Amino acid sequence: MNDNNPFDESTRVLQLDQKDLKQNKTEEDKLKPACLVPIYGVKDMGKKYDLNSLVTSIGRSAACSILVNDESVSRKHCEVRSTSNGVYMVHDLNSTNGTYLNNEPIKVPTQIHENDQLKCGAVIFKFLMGANIERDYYEEIYKLTTVDGLTQIFNKRYYMEQLENEMSRAVRYDRDLSLIMFDIDHFKHVNDEHGHLAGDYVLRKLANAISEVIRREDIFSRYGGEEFSIILPEISLDNARFFSNKIRQVVEDTVFRFEDNIIPITISLGVAFYDPSMKTTSDFIAKADAFLYEAKNSGRNCVRG
């Protein structure tokens, strides 16, 4: 080849090394392993949605990558996009009920990190990413059997198992055991006036506020809807009453602010003390429930038992 002749068409030989080949990889090849796992609000909780394309859309439309059949979710609700350096960003698509990352509304594209929670309407996803994604996924599946996805406290299934165990221990070792049942006063009014997303917010914040004041050995669970329960091993009835009044005050003092609206929240509580005449968990729960209804009939925002 003549270097001085620009029209010389002699064969040229180019030598490619491994560095050149790596630069030709597509952006999809550069994606870090990541997935979304629904943990609340859908029937297929625990399903694994791999994020193996540059854009993953979420919504009610059949055209979305992740189809969510829930009225609180917009047809095209949000997207998770990957950047060239493997970072994942969440983009809200002007959804009706908003997109939230760890309970904070997304106004602009926001980076999502490992173990973050992505909330679309009333549906919550857990974001998993990294080399140990399979291990983390199966740990999340196990967690779903014991933890309520919305409030992140124990669920009813785990609670019932532990209550039976604690009743057996109380008999075997002659130890005190108390039980608190409580629910949110006029919770239906919260949903009716502010919407179900506000109701979800109240449930989460209430659970978080109470979690900060219970002992490690106490078993705090969402019993159902707006009803909660706390198992108190080795706690006398007097101490259980004292503690019930403490958490009642904690809830009353907590500021529940949703979309610039302050929602006043109080709870009513029933306290029961275990005795061997209670043969089943249902007997124990029924005793605490009876005192709960007494508290509600006494004007609410109080403790009975």
Side-chain angles (χ1 to χ4, degrees):
M1 182 182 72
N2 185 352
D3 292 337
N4 295 320
N5 183 1
F7 300 104
D8 186 349
E9 297 182 355
S10 302
T11 302
R12 303 184 185 190
V13 178
L14 299 177
Q15 185 173 359
L16 297 178
D17 59 22
Q18 291 298 317
K19 187 178 297 184
D20 296 319
L21 293 174
K22 288 180 181 179
Q23 289 176 350
N24 290 329
K25 292 178 69 176
T26 64
E27 289 191 23
E28 282 85 351
D29 292 332
K30 298 177 185 178
L31 292 180
K32 295 179 181 179
C35 69
L36 287 171
V37 181
I39 61 172
Y40 182 79
V42 292
K43 292 182 180 179
D44 58 348
M45 285 196 304
K47 184 175 180 179
K48 185 169 176 277
Y49 292 99
D50 290 314
L51 305 181
N52 47 22
S53 61
L54 295 177
V55 179
T56 300
S57 54
I58 302 173
R60 284 192 294 112
S61 170
C64 290
S65 311
I66 300 178
L67 176 61
V68 181
N69 188 20
D70 187 277
E71 291 184 356
S72 67
V73 177
S74 298
R75 288 184 57 78
K76 293 183 178 180
H77 198 100
C78 68
E79 290 178 343
V80 179
R81 304 176 191 174
S82 176
T83 64
S84 59
N85 58 353
V87 171
Y88 287 87
M89 306 290 291
V90 179
H91 299 244
D92 180 68
L93 301 178
N94 295 317
S95 61
T96 301
N97 290 315
T99 302
Y100 294 77
L101 196 57
N102 299 326
N103 300 322
E104 293 296 327
I106 292 176
K107 303 299 184 183
V108 297
T110 304
Q111 183 176 355
I112 185 169
H113 299 89
E114 187 176 2
N115 293 319
D116 280 352
Q117 288 191 5
L118 175 64
K119 189 168 186 285
C120 307
V123 178
I124 302 175
F125 295 88
K126 185 77 168 285
F127 177 73
L128 303 177
M129 182 178 70
N132 297 318
I133 189 170
E134 289 300 322
R135 181 202 65 191
D136 294 342
Y137 170 67
Y138 286 108
E139 286 181 356
E140 196 63 37
I141 293 300
Y142 173 74
K143 188 177 178 182
L144 284 173
T145 66
T146 61
V147 174
D148 175 62
L150 177 66
T151 60
Q152 292 298 293
I153 60 175
F154 292 121
N155 59 24
K156 185 177 180 180
R157 173 182 173 180
Y158 180 83
Y159 162 86
M160 294 301 293
E161 292 174 355
Q162 294 305 306
L163 181 58
E164 187 169 355
N165 291 340
E166 292 300 335
M167 288 171 65
S168 297
R169 290 192 186 98
V171 171
R172 187 180 308 121
Y173 300 110
D174 192 27
R175 293 176 176 171
D176 290 345
L177 178 63
S178 294
L179 182 67
I180 301 172
M181 299 292 292
F182 68 92
D183 67 12
I184 301 173
D185 296 329
H186 304 297
F187 186 68
K188 184 178 183 301
H189 177 72
V190 174
N191 284 328
D192 290 345
E193 182 171 338
H194 301 282
H196 288 278
L197 294 181
D200 286 351
Y201 160 79
V202 167
L203 292 169
R204 282 196 310 271
K205 184 151 189 178
L206 179 144
N208 184 65
I210 294 176
S211 294
E212 292 181 357
V213 297
I214 64 173
R215 303 175 305 163
R216 180 176 298 179
E217 55 267 40
D218 297 335
I219 301 162
F220 179 30
S221 74
R222 185 181 179 190
Y223 188 74
E226 72 274 23
E227 190 169 12
F228 297 82
S229 186
I230 307 175
I231 304 170
L232 301 172
E234 300 185 40
I235 293 294
S236 67
L237 180 57
D238 285 343
N239 285 333
R241 288 171 179 151
F242 176 83
F243 179 67
S244 295
N245 271 303
K246 178 180 179 179
I247 62 174
R248 182 198 61 76
Q249 192 64 54
V250 165
V251 172
E252 187 175 15
D253 292 342
T254 299
V255 177
F256 293 85
R257 184 190 299 272
F258 183 78
E259 295 181 347
D260 297 326
N261 295 315
I262 295 180
I263 307 172
I265 296 296
T266 60
I267 57 176
S268 299
L269 307 95
V271 185
F273 186 73
Y274 176 72
D275 70 70
S277 67
M278 301 173 182
K279 301 302 181 183
T280 67
T281 54
S282 296
D283 294 337
F284 200 5
I285 293 169
K287 186 72 175 293
D289 249 338
F291 285 122
L292 166 59
Y293 283 102
E294 184 179 321
K296 295 169 79 70
N297 292 329
S298 300
R300 305 177 189 266
N301 192 23
C302 63
V303 177
R304 292 291 182 269

